[in-house]
Amino acid sequence: MLKKTLVFSILFLALSLVVTPVLAQTTTSTSASAKAAAKSADVAAKIKCVADAVAVREMAISTASVLHSEAVAAAYATRANELYGAYSNTTVAKVQPGVKVAWAGFKKTTKLATNTWKKNKNAAWSAFRSAVSICKAPAGVSDSSNSGSEPSGQ
């Protein structure tokens, strides 16, 4: 629970730093070169806004991935210990319940880890899409179309 709160806190803090895009000021100069320079600066600022949003998203997804990996590793360690205990018995009647408990706990823990991963990953992408929409960057700058490439269950 603490890890989830930490992930969402980091995500919220980082997004609050990114959401306000820095837009270049346009000048009232009538020269074509001044207008072109202003437009170029505006586009560059919008791209920077998207880059900042991408960095926050990637950090959030990386953190979620680490938390998922830790939870799955702990599930394997717990299962190994429980199976060791179950197979240290000398009768089938004592081994079977221990094996069932070990596997049931493993299944429950890994399912929870996968659900948490999906929730955190989707939250990172959702926050990213919200941040990028504020940037108003030119078409083709964002990589949102690649969100389907993320592992769904790790």
Side-chain angles (χ1 to χ4, degrees):
M1 184 66 182
L2 179 61
K3 287 182 181 180
K4 279 196 244 179
T5 304
L6 179 61
V7 168
F8 286 117
S9 296
I10 290 171
L11 180 63
F12 179 76
L13 175 63
L15 281 177
S16 67
L17 297 174
V18 172
V19 170
T20 309
V22 177
L23 300 176
Q25 295 179 342
T26 58
T27 63
T28 58
S29 173
T30 57
S31 74
S33 63
K35 287 181 182 179
K39 183 176 180 179
S40 179
D42 182 53
V43 170
K46 290 176 179 180
I47 292 172
K48 170 76 168 96
C49 176
V50 173
D52 291 344
V54 167
V56 171
R57 179 197 69 207
E58 292 302 306
M59 180 176 287
I61 289 173
S62 179
T63 300
S65 179
V66 167
L67 294 174
H68 177 264
S69 296
E70 289 173 352
V72 170
Y76 275 106
T78 300
R79 184 184 75 185
N81 288 333
E82 289 177 354
L83 287 172
Y84 178 79
Y87 285 110
S88 67
N89 291 305
T90 57
T91 66
V92 173
K94 289 183 179 181
V95 170
Q96 286 179 335
V99 169
K100 285 183 182 181
V101 166
W103 280 97
F106 177 77
K107 182 178 177 181
K108 180 180 176 183
T109 302
T110 55
K111 186 175 181 177
L112 177 62
T114 298
N115 289 340
T116 302
W117 154 249
K118 288 178 184 179
K119 182 179 173 183
N120 290 342
K121 174 192 68 160
N122 292 339
W125 275 100
S126 179
F128 167 75
R129 287 185 186 98
S130 295
V132 166
S133 69
I134 294 169
C135 295
K136 300 189 184 324
V141 171
S142 176
D143 65 345
S144 291
S145 62
N146 294 310
S147 66
S149 298
E150 293 284 353
S152 60
Q154 283 243 333

